[in-house]
Amino acid sequence: EQLKARGRGQYTCPHGRDCKKGGVQPNGELTIFERNSAFRSHLQLHERNFKCDIPGCTNKKGFARIDQLERHKKTVRHSAP
């Protein structure tokens, strides 16, 4: 709930050291997100809530951001099922 408002804090990825999406620095330390907007963006990488609804689409993982989904729909050729 506190992530909906703008602000600062100390956030780390809930996946801990198993995070493969930027939550762990190259030296093995956990990344600390000081802006809740940056942390929210990071969480979207794990959730991938934006799914393609075009029949025949082979992308099953989905997309972290809506603009990525929109670009996908415009540029990827979808085959008929």
Side-chain angles (χ1 to χ4, degrees), residues 14-66:
H15 295 272
R17 299 202 187 287
D18 295 330
C19 179
K20 304 282 189 243
K21 301 178 185 293
V24 181
Q25 298 176 17
N27 64 3
E29 291 182 23
L30 293 177
T31 300
I32 297 175
F33 299 94
E34 294 185 359
R35 308 268 319 152
N36 59 6
S37 58
F39 182 59
R40 222 177 19 251
S41 295
H42 174 78
L43 290 178
Q44 286 179 325
L45 293 174
H46 291 288
E47 295 168 359
R48 295 182 172 262
N49 288 327
F50 301 100
K51 309 288 184 191
C52 183
D53 58 357
I54 297 176
C57 182
T58 59
N59 182 302
K60 304 299 179 205
K61 292 184 345 180
F63 301 91
R65 299 186 336 235
I66 189 81

Side-chain angles (χ1 to χ4, degrees), residues 48 50 52 54 57 59 62-78:
R48 295 182 172 262
F50 301 100
C52 183
I54 297 176
C57 182
N59 182 302
F63 301 91
R65 299 186 336 235
I66 189 81
D67 64 305
Q68 293 170 331
L69 172 60
E70 290 169 355
R71 183 181 63 228
H72 163 81
K73 286 182 173 183
K74 289 179 187 175
T75 61
V76 174
R77 187 171 186 186
H78 293 86

